[in-house]
Amino acid sequence: TGPMSLECLGNLLRITLSAEYFEDKYLSFSVVDQSGIAWELDEAMASQCGYTVTYSNWSNIEFRASALSCHSRLEKDLFTVTIAIKASHTPDMKNAATHLKSASCHYGPWSPRELVCESNYMEVSVRREVPQTVKEFIQDEPEDWTLVFPEAKPGEPSIWQVVFHQPEEKKALLVSNAWSAGYGLNTTDTRVLLRIPYTAGQIQLVKDQGVTFYAVRSSIFYKQRWMILMVDTAVACPVDGVDYANKTIIWTVPKYIQPLSAGATSFKDVLVEAGVDLHKLSAKEMASRKYVLSNDLNAITMKIPIGAQGGYYKTSVSNGQHGTKYTINLFLEHQWEDNKWGLTKHTIIKEIETPFEQAELAITNNSNLSARIMNVTVGTFLPDVELVNLTIEGATVAVPEAVQHGYLTYKIRYANGSKAYIIQVPFDAPSVKKEYMRADMRAYTLNVTLAFITRPTSETFVVPVTTVSAVKDAVLPKARGFCDGRNFHLIIIRGNVDQNWLPFISDWHLTPEAAQKYNYSLKDNGTHLAISVPFLSSHVHYEDFHISGIKASLHLTLKDGITLANRRDFSVSCRFSPSELIQCLPNGTVVVTAVKLVGVADLDTSLLVLRDRQCKPSLVTEKTATFKFSVNTCGTSRKFNSSTMTYENDVLYFRPGNNTPVYQLKFACSYAIKQTVDVRYESKKNPPPSIKPGFGTLALSLKLYKEKSYSDPYQESEYPVVKYLREALYFEVELLQPKDARLELNLDDCWATNSQSLDSLPQWPILINGCENNEDSHRTVFHEVNYSLRVKLPQHLKRFEVRMFTFVQGTTLSQE
């Protein structure tokens, strides 16, 4: 109970520190000697003096002390150890709390020889059967002990020596030198002890029955005035001997290995016991846990099912992958008699850890749709795992800071000690991706990476979490369509899923630039998208002709901005008056436009003709062809009745080699023969008309076109335009304002300069008094301007062609 608990386990004292109490704290251990002096432990001192600090059962910290440890106090059959533990929240150990614990344990009775294999040292203690040192004994002169034993050199005031026996040599060390080399030596009234860290230089690797042992052959010499006494202090501890088969741990320990049995010829087992966590188990307890302990002639074997009671799983990380290892702290006690030592007790403490096994983690989506909260459970985890940070949209934030991004994290603890983590984030958080699925469904995708750390090993691993929740909250865009006399109008009311959807007309992306090019109207204020398209345009579908009008439709598709998948289709269909296709001018000129129907997909509008097949269209687009002709030409027929004269013709389309038209558009113009107009005439003496000078504003434009068709002007972004000498330049001058049909545009003078200043020199005249420059070797060519869909007032435009030239200075081209 409390932060520390203690147990006496034979010749060992164990103090266990509560993981819950000391969690997230920095610790330091000290042992207090009989004088009250505290000696801070490090790894070297612990293994030299008989102390072990280890972690067990996830994060519990375990301190063990040998009965013959350096600072223990021996009294009769008791040994007492006092430790001081400092705990601080900072690594510099400031403001550390000190916990002092003193414990006494019974020990013994001792066997003549006792061997202990701890996790960080080997220990051998033997019965001391030598006379006690005379208190007043002083070595008064050097003595040549080498005549008796070469290894026993004349000593210092401390007269103990230890000799290590190695295959190639023997090495003798005085006690002070052995201590400096990390060895631990101690003596009591009845025992002599040698403690050897596993890092010691004199350790040899010895194999017996395929199992490797750390082994040290050594002798301790004690010098009396008239005699020298030797004690054999050999010790050996198994390094491996662990195998795994069929989900079972198999631990094999050979018996009577050579370093421990040198000089003995007969052996007899006295006792073989085993247990877990230094607690011996009876045969009945082992059977209930399905442990198997077998003692054969040459070896002792323990078989433990992986996952059995007594061990525990701990978290492990391999190549960034989360997994587990099963750990069990076994111990084996083997007592035997031989004809050299009598009784020997060999205690082996063995922590066995199974190989890494990857563990799958469950990610459960428990989102609350009504509360619009994404709720994800990740786990379960073993108690030695902690969540440390989250990576959200590429940014890594610590758990406490995640709440600023809308992320709440909770820890759930279960009765068996395991735990899970819950991540909660609102559907509307910026990092939650929203995507339209179908009908009224939207998908909300949470994509976050969780980073974990294991205690106390500080291994790290990450768990990517991607969960999708489908919610019925999609508001799709709606549309309202209508037509006026000459245009389609489509108004789309935005929903909550189409922010990144793109408008397409007949698989043609309708951008503001494209709409301007085709004289369409496109307006988007974020909530409404308004589109207007003229009746006569290349993206309109013409379905049929009827006396009541022309049925035409405009189709618009909203597509996904990333995948370009079709998301929503809208269309508006209207009937337009046939008068939109024909003009019957008073001077007998007819302008008629034929349109391509959707049912005649292979129709080439440039091949449309009138009855007289020599009459071809003057203006052609992909879906229209415009004819301009006189009623007295092109095979036009006429009919009379009492009041009107009607002229009729057909627009026809013939496939090659076939005289039967597959397309026929009949049209007619009617003119009144007799028409009475009431005119009121009043004679006045009005002055003759005169032209008076005045002031006004005219808006003019000058454009350069790419081709003679004058259909594609150069845009501002294409200047400066690069041309070769003598290549044609097509210019168009247009009167933009006022739009008065009574006005006609006439060009007077036109000249070229080599700078943007119209008065700069040199200059070259292109037009003089409205005529070509006769001195020019390539004269200006005027082009007729006809009525078309774009040109409603031909008299407001003038077009002319000039050949590319450059200014010269003498015989050198001027730099422009």
Side-chain angles (χ1 to χ4, degrees), residues 18 32 258 385 394 563 574 701 794:
S18 166
V32 181
Q258 197 278 332
V385 169
T563 65
C574 299
S701 73

Side-chain angles (χ1 to χ4, degrees), residues 272-289 291 293 302 304 309-310 328-331:
V272 174
E273 289 185 313
V276 175
D277 290 330
L278 299 176
H279 290 287
K280 294 180 181 178
L281 296 178
S282 66
K284 182 178 180 180
E285 289 173 319
M286 286 194 183
S288 69
R289 300 184 182 194
Y291 295 2
L293 176 64
M302 281 192 75
I304 310 291
Q309 179 186 351
I328 188 166
N329 293 308
L330 298 176
F331 90 96

Side-chain angles (χ1 to χ4, degrees), residues 188-219:
T188 69
D189 291 343
T190 60
R191 309 292 293 179
V192 175
L193 173 134
L194 174 64
R195 189 175 296 111
I196 306 168
Y198 289 120
T199 57
Q202 307 304 320
I203 287 182
Q204 303 173 50
L205 292 179
V206 176
K207 272 194 176 287
D208 192 303
Q209 301 178 45
V211 177
T212 303
F213 282 79
Y214 286 136
V216 172
R217 287 290 312 279
S218 61
S219 301

Side-chain angles (χ1 to χ4, degrees), residues 357-399:
E357 185 172 346
Q358 187 170 342
E360 296 296 330
L361 287 172
I363 299 175
T364 309
N365 187 354
N366 299 310
S367 295
N368 188 332
L369 302 186
S370 59
R372 295 184 63 79
I373 295 290
M374 300 198 80
N375 188 309
V376 181
T377 302
V378 183
T380 56
F381 296 98
L382 293 173
D384 56 354
V385 169
E386 287 293 331
L387 174 65
V388 289
N389 60 54
L390 300 82
T391 300
I392 306 165
E393 292 187 309
T396 300
V397 296
V399 172

Side-chain angles (χ1 to χ4, degrees), residues 637-641 644-648 669-671 673:
S637 62
R638 60 183 178 179
K639 295 179 181 179
F640 295 91
N641 61 25
T644 61
M645 181 184 295
T646 302
Y647 295 89
E648 296 180 347
C669 282
S670 297
Y671 295 89
I673 298 175

Side-chain angles (χ1 to χ4, degrees), residues 247 249 289 291 304-313 326-327 354:
K247 301 284 186 180
I249 299 169
R289 300 184 182 194
Y291 295 2
I304 310 291
I306 294 176
Q309 179 186 351
Y312 64 96
Y313 283 96
Y326 175 74
T327 301
T354 61

Side-chain angles (χ1 to χ4, degrees), residues 85-100:
I85 302 170
K86 292 183 178 180
S88 173
H89 291 284
T90 57
D92 58 9
M93 302 305 292
K94 287 185 177 179
N95 303 317
T98 301
H99 302 267
L100 197 65

